[in-house]
Amino acid sequence: MTFNLFDSILISLALILPICYYLLAHRIVYPQPLPGIPYNQTASHRILGDIPDLVTSVRRTKETSSWCFSQCRRLKSPVIQLFLRPFSKPFVFVDDARETEDMLLRRTREFDRAPSTAAFFRTVLPRASIVKPTDHEFKAQRRLWVDVMSPAFLRTVVAPNIYRSTLELVELWRLKSRVGGGRPFEAHHDLETAAFDAIWVAVLGSELGGIRSEIEAVTTSKEDRHQNQQQQILQTQQEYEDQDQPAHMPGAERSDLYEAIQYLNKSVERIMASPMPVLHHWLIRQTPTYRRYETIKNREILRILKSAYARFKALKLSSNLDSHSQEEANEQHQHDTCAMDLVLRREMISSERRGTILPPPEENLEMQDELLMLLVAGHETTANTLSWFVKFMAHHPSSQDRLRQHLRAAFPSSTASSPPSAAEILSSTTSIPYLDATIAETNRLAATVPLIVRVTTVDTHILGFAVPKGTHVMCNSRVTEPYDDMDDSVVDGGGGDLESRRSESSRVAMEKRLKEGLGGAYQMRRDLDRFEPERWLVKKSKLGKGR
């Protein structure tokens, strides 16, 4: 049998094409790892990458971020890459507190807010600053709102509202404890309501009275009930022999506005968990429930905004808009009863100086979305963090006792019936290091926002690993394990230790730090999963520094 040239070509193609197809499939279909960064070898040979392992873990634990960062321990590296989106670049995960701090605070030109995060909120808050890239428009919008988080505004406007909500919450819990005969009761709902009350009035200036309604629900019966609710509680108590059995308390009906904000908040959570957020939100928008709550939200915020417009116009502040004297500036600030007032006054000042007309409230969509963002993002994270605080205090009575002792020492003349005022708590002479340490430890372990996402704006390095421009970087905000088990052979061929791979800005910041926190002696101990406020305290030095 003889072969001609055509047969030889066919045979060659039959051998080469499968190889080319395999290589092409590997290049296009399978994940493409970033050079030098550790990853799961098995996942790199699957079209779905790490997704099957993640799904298995989520089904078991109902939690996502913990599995992702557990891979850092498995691969023995503080920086790894995971393949969580087919046909896309891998995600880089950073499990190092100091490196995360460095990227967020000192390397902002290299790391910007991620478009993926903006996409989640754009469906609900299309004109809020959180969805905009860091450009001129974003900076101009943020300048209007920057003082909402300033110490002066927090002390004069936000603090009194939080103080008032806290006193009402204490009153409610004393009542529930008395009515419930000392039995435990569900507290998270109350914390949500108190947080929403405080943030609502601080943002919009109007009273919701959620906690007050809860107090009335416990002390009085509703007209449409056939028997007194307190009698129902007492009858329920008699059914329990165990004093640890929770007491069932009546609750007030939530207002339509509260339900609307809660629904929109949950919508964002569902969208964030969806592989197709835009489509998911489009489907949600078609539902009658969404349309009803969207209408309620828009109507109420617009009503309050119109009221603020009318109030400021009546005050005729525009006649003094260009005054720069401290006395007149302070007088203007007295009219800022909430965040909306502060920003509206600034917009009026800006419009007056430009010689333009401030848009009517129904057209000021940026302000409406920014106000809603503060409400949506503020109250639930606050309530969740406070719930963790209550849990930690209940589970660690020694820490609770010590905190109580420090509080009593700071306010010796205060009693349960006569608590310290907001001004006394905020006084510059009031220093309670153990309270600060307890708050820091609660935030560390609660990790209400466990994942911080950034995108690289330039080619850069993270702990010695080369990370190209446009890479999504996931930073772990949970610090529950030490980093002394990292395998040096994984990184940089084993050359140098972890400290030598840090950026210069990270090393300089560490040298300036006056307290140990998580970077000192406690860092090397295997107790980071424990609630221990003392780790944040250091003894005073001879120079008087530290605390």
Side-chain angles (χ1 to χ4, degrees):
M1 179 179 291
T2 60
F3 293 92
N4 55 30
L5 179 61
F6 182 73
D7 292 331
S8 299
I9 293 175
L10 287 178
I11 294 173
S12 298
L13 289 175
L15 294 174
I16 294 174
L17 284 177
I19 297 175
C20 292
Y21 177 80
Y22 173 79
L23 294 175
L24 185 63
H26 229 281
R27 180 71 179 175
I28 297 178
V29 177
Y30 291 150
Q32 297 301 305
L34 299 175
I37 302 178
Y39 61 90
N40 181 359
Q41 296 288 339
T42 303
S44 67
H45 297 287
R46 295 188 300 219
I47 294 178
L48 296 179
D50 289 291
I51 294 177
D53 297 334
L54 174 60
V55 170
T56 300
S57 175
V58 170
R59 286 175 177 172
R60 185 180 68 256
T61 64
K62 309 300 181 184
E63 219 270 339
T64 302
S65 60
S66 60
W67 178 86
C68 294
F69 290 107
S70 70
Q71 302 309 297
C72 293
R73 308 295 167 178
R74 192 178 72 81
L75 296 171
K76 296 185 177 182
S77 172
V79 181
I80 65 169
Q81 55 184 315
L82 294 177
F83 313 113
L84 301 177
R85 186 179 296 170
F87 317 116
S88 300
K89 292 181 179 180
F91 292 83
V92 171
F93 283 75
V94 179
D95 190 11
D96 185 281
R98 282 182 56 193
E99 196 69 10
T100 296
E101 177 190 64
D102 192 45
M103 288 188 290
L104 296 178
L105 299 183
R106 294 178 286 273
R107 299 174 63 185
T108 54
R109 293 187 178 182
E110 302 171 58
F111 302 91
D112 197 1
R113 292 169 300 113
S116 58
T117 302
F120 296 136
F121 289 93
R122 185 175 290 112
T123 53
V124 179
L125 305 167
R127 298 170 187 84
S129 59
I130 195 172
V131 306
K132 297 180 179 180
T134 309
D135 54 15
H136 176 73
E137 182 180 356
F138 167 82
K139 293 178 180 179
Q141 187 167 340
R142 290 304 295 167
R143 276 195 295 270
L144 288 172
W145 293 85
V146 64
D147 282 346
V148 168
M149 296 305 294
S150 68
F153 184 80
L154 293 175
R155 285 174 174 270
T156 58
V157 177
V158 178
N161 294 318
I162 293 176
Y163 182 80
R164 183 167 55 253
S165 294
T166 302
L167 292 182
E168 291 182 344
L169 179 63
V170 171
E171 180 183 351
L172 173 63
W173 281 359
R174 283 175 177 163
L175 177 62
K176 285 188 172 183
S177 179
R178 184 171 65 254
V179 172
R183 288 186 172 84
F185 52 86
E186 196 276 331
H188 182 71
H189 169 88
D190 298 333
L191 289 168
E192 280 189 324
T193 305
F196 195 58
D197 276 358
I199 292 176
W200 180 271
V201 69
V203 172
L204 296 175
S206 62
E207 296 282 353
L208 279 181
I211 288 294
R212 184 54 54 188
S213 297
E214 295 292 338
I215 293 174
E216 294 175 358
V218 176
T219 56
T220 62
S221 62
K222 293 185 177 295
E223 295 180 358
D224 59 350
R225 301 271 178 110
H226 295 292
Q227 55 183 343
N228 188 281
Q229 290 182 326
Q230 291 191 55
Q231 289 298 322
Q232 291 179 342
I233 296 172
L234 294 173
Q235 291 172 7
T236 303
Q237 293 172 10
Q238 295 171 1
E239 297 175 1
Y240 297 133
E241 296 181 359
D242 185 1
Q243 282 291 324
D244 291 332
Q245 189 74 22
H248 299 290
M249 297 287 175
E253 293 183 3
R254 299 288 184 99
S255 68
D256 287 343
L257 182 58
Y258 184 93
E259 295 291 350
I261 299 297
Q262 282 289 79
Y263 178 84
L264 293 173
N265 202 16
K266 297 300 181 184
S267 296
V268 173
E269 293 179 4
R270 291 195 296 271
I271 292 166
M272 294 179 70
S274 172
M276 295 179 288
V278 176
L279 175 60
H280 193 147
H281 187 255
W282 183 85
L283 294 173
I284 292 177
R285 290 202 311 269
Q286 311 313 308
T287 63
T289 303
Y290 179 89
R291 292 175 180 176
R292 174 173 175 266
Y293 285 140
E294 180 76 0
T295 300
I296 292 172
K297 178 264 298 181
N298 291 338
R299 182 185 67 231
E300 289 301 308
I301 290 184
L302 182 58
R303 177 184 62 81
I304 296 171
L305 192 56
K306 285 182 176 180
S307 175
Y309 265 65
R311 185 170 67 255
F312 271 90
K313 287 182 179 179
L315 291 171
K316 296 181 179 181
L317 293 179
S318 59
S319 60
N320 297 320
L321 289 177
D322 287 322
S323 173
H324 295 283
S325 72
Q326 187 62 43
E327 183 179 352
E328 292 181 343
N330 290 337
E331 183 180 352
Q332 290 182 7
H333 289 171
Q334 291 176 2
H335 301 301
D336 297 337
T337 62
C338 59
M340 179 180 60
D341 285 357
L342 184 149
V343 176
L344 182 56
R345 178 174 57 80
R346 285 193 164 193
E347 283 198 329
M348 287 184 169
I349 292 173
S350 179
S351 296
E352 182 75 12
R353 288 175 177 171
R354 293 194 309 265
T356 59
I357 300 176
L358 188 70
E362 57 270 14
E363 296 180 10
N364 199 339
L365 301 179
E366 284 188 349
M367 175 172 281
Q368 293 183 38
D369 277 2
E370 203 75 14
L371 292 170
L372 181 60
M373 183 188 72
L374 293 175
L375 295 172
V376 169
H379 90 275
E380 187 159 346
T381 52
T382 301
N384 288 340
T385 303
L386 290 173
S387 294
W388 276 108
F389 170 79
V390 171
K391 181 180 180 68
F392 291 143
M393 290 294 96
H395 285 200
H396 300 86
S398 60
S399 296
Q400 181 184 156
D401 290 342
R402 185 175 179 184
L403 177 59
R404 185 179 291 107
Q405 292 171 6
H406 282 270
L407 291 173
R408 286 174 173 168
F411 307 106
S413 61
S414 299
T415 63
S417 59
S418 179
S421 65
E424 290 174 321
I425 296 173
L426 294 173
S427 172
S428 58
T429 60
T430 302
S431 177
I432 315 175
Y434 195 79
L435 174 61
D436 296 336
T438 302
I439 293 173
E441 187 73 345
T442 298
N443 286 329
R444 181 182 74 86
L445 288 174
T448 307
V449 183
L451 193 65
I452 304 171
V453 187
R454 289 293 184 267
V455 64
T456 52
T457 57
V458 295
D459 293 341
T460 186
H461 287 79
I462 303 176
L463 287 176
F465 296 98
V467 181
K469 178 181 178 180
T471 302
H472 279 73
V473 180
M474 312 292 189
C475 302
N476 187 12
S477 67
R478 292 176 173 172
V479 185
T480 57
E481 295 183 58
Y483 303 100
D484 55 349
D485 57 353
M486 190 191 71
D487 187 355
D488 280 343
S489 64
V490 174
V491 188
D492 199 26
D497 57 9
L498 182 62
E499 190 65 23
S500 66
R501 288 190 289 269
R502 296 192 183 280
S503 67
E504 181 180 357
S505 57
S506 177
R507 292 195 296 269
V508 170
M510 192 62 185
E511 291 174 359
K512 294 180 179 179
R513 191 160 291 169
L514 298 177
K515 55 184 178 182
E516 296 182 8
L518 300 178
Y522 275 103
Q523 174 66 20
M524 304 307 296
R525 291 174 53 183
R526 299 279 182 172
D527 66 347
L528 290 176
D529 58 336
R530 293 171 48 192
F531 181 82
E532 190 175 332
E534 289 76 10
R535 76 174 78 251
W536 296 95
L537 302 173
V538 292
K539 296 179 180 179
K540 288 186 177 180
S541 68
K542 295 180 180 180
L543 296 177
K545 297 180 179 181
R547 60 181 187 177

